[in-house]
């Protein structure tokens, strides 16, 4: 059966501005054909089983010619695949989406279109520029300032000036002087407010706000680059007063999140909400162990406490029990300890309430709390990673507590973004790296190699994590308590 092609507008920036319908289409795709402007964190949403095809410039310095893209879409659909054609911004605004639909129609391939948030509207919004405003203008016009190869611009500047609306030019940075000169020659006042926004709606956004006659000089002086758009109109005068984005505490800072994918979300989203440019580069992965014998053996003996030392340990325990033909009732009668809030939340997802969470979320404090809870001695079943630290079992054993340490999963060092990270580090583009466990430190180190004189600051959760980081890096900060909230506060204060 022939597949369907879904054109999806990816929006202008990170995945927060991707529509829910778009995200759903990506999750169900068998193949994704994407452009250069689509950001990494959106590409991360592509299911691992799906074919990923880049038709952007970055890969080979030349964009894939349009007829070839059209043919690729038809070929994939004929293979019966659910194809997503992922485009920057909106798919029908200067994205050749229309041409692709015509080609699909001619070839009898069914298609759907999921519009996206266009940069033409989002970049001004993130720069404090409302594109219409009753005090200034009642229309907005979106124009391409891209000339066909070797040809001059064919923009009717006289008409544009007469419209007296807000003008947004896409693909116009190289032709900036031609645009401003054209408007001036057509009679637009030289002190008309105007702006250029680079990387609009992204953590790396930069803007230049000026007046028409001086815009080009200011933009060249600041060295703005593509992708960028030009906006001309009286509404630009509001840009500084209504700028809500630049004042965010982490604006302009590039921060790497190294936790594994499943756990990166909350930290990354919070950093983004505070204005940061976030690079999600998981440096470790948890792989559940096939061998369930240690757990089966452990369950032969009674234990007073079941101890979880990471959120990943909870589903790993559930899976291991399932493979033994059992379920969480196997822990019946035991009290349950969680190392921290995240682990307690993972337990809560299975309807379990932790009886004990130490005041500070690390192995040392967990051991102390368990020792306090078992003044007469007792027994503890540790359900955790093979690579778990020794402080917890050693401290418990020293106090005469019987410890059964059951490895449920391995923490392996693995980073798909190692090359990208190395490139950014070499260019000095990274301001901070966050570590939430010793293994993330080691995983990152393994991915990027030696960077002793690193220019970035390291932010850690947990004393042991910080200790591991200090082996390699000089600027190491540690969150007051081992929580994501405290990590954020620490980053905002120290970055
Ligand atoms: N379909 C896209 C536009 C494609 S044309 C959309 O709806 O946004 C490509 C041009 O869009 C770039 O040359 C640049 O002018 C503009 N553009 C795309 N993303 C941008 C961004 N994040 N910030 C500023 N301009 C952007």
């Amino acid at each position: 059966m022939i597949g369907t092609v879904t054109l999806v507008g990816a929006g202008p920036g990170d995945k927060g501005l991707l529509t829910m319908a778009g995200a759903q289409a990506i999750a169900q795709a068998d193949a994704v054909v994407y452009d250069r402007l689509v950001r990494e964190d959106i590409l991360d949403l592509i299911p691992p089983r799906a074919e990923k095809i880049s038709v952007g410039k970055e890969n080979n310095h030349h964009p894939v010619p349009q007829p070839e893209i059209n043919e690729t879409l038809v070929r994939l659909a004929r293979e019966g695949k659910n194809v997503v054609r992922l485009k920057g911004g909106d798919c029908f605004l200067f994205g050749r989406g229309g041409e692709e639909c015509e080609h699909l129609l001619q070839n009898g391939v069914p298609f759907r279109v999921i519009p996206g948030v266009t940069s033409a509207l989002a970049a001004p919004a993130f720069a404090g520029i409302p594109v219409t405003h009753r005090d200034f203008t009642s229309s907005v016009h979106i124009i391409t300032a891209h000339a066909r190869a070797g040809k001059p611009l064919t923009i009717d500047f006289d008409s544009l000036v007469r419209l007296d609306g807000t003008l947004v030019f896409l693909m116009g940075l190289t032709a900036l002087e031609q645009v401003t000169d054209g408007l001036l020659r057509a009679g637009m006042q030289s002190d008309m407010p105007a702006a250029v926004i680079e990387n609009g709606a992204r953590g790396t956004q930069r803007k230049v706000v000026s007046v028409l006659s001086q815009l080009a000089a200011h933009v060249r002086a600041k060295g703005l680059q593509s992708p960028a758009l030009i906006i001309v109109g009286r509404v630009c005068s509001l840009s500084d007063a209504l700028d809500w984005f630049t004042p965010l505490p982490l604006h302009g800072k590039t921060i790497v999140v190294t936790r594994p994918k499943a756990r990166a979300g909350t930290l990354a989203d919070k950093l983004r909400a505070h204005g940061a440019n976030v690079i999600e580069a998981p440096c470790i992965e948890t792989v559940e162990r096939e061998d369930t014998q240690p757990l089966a053996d452990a369950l032969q003996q009674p234990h007073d406490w079941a101890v979880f030392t990471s959120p990943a340990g909870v589903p790993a325990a559930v899976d291991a029990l399932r493979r033994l033909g059992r379920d969480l009732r196997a822990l019946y009668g035991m009290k349950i300890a969680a190392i921290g809030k995240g682990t307690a939340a993972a337990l809560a997802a299975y309807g379990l309430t932790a009886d004990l969470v130490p005041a500070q979320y690390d192995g040392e404090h967990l051991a102390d709390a368990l020792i306090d809870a078992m003044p007469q001695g007792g027994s503890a079943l540790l359900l955790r990673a093979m690579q778990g630290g020794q402080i917890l079992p050693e401290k418990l054993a020293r106090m005469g507590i019987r410890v059964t340490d059951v490895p449920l999963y391995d923490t392996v060092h693995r980073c798909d973004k190692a090359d990208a990270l190395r490139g950014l580090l070499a260019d000095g583009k990274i301001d901070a790296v966050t570590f939430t466990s010793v293994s993330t430190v080691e995983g990152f180190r393994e991915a990027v190699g030696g960077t002793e004189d690193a220019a970035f600051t390291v932010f850690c959760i947990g004393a042991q994590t910080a200790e591991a980081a200090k082996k390699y890096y000089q600027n190491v900060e540690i969150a007051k308590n081992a929580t994501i909230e405290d990590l954020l506060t620490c980053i905002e204060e120290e970055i």
Side-chain angles (χ1 to χ4, degrees), residues 12 37 88-90 93-95 118-120 123 170-172 197-200 202 227-229:
L37 278 176
D90 178 68
L93 190 75
F94 305 131
T118 178
S119 63
L170 299 192
M171 299 181 274
I197 305 159
E198 172 199 84
N199 277 316
R202 301 174 179 175
L229 54 77

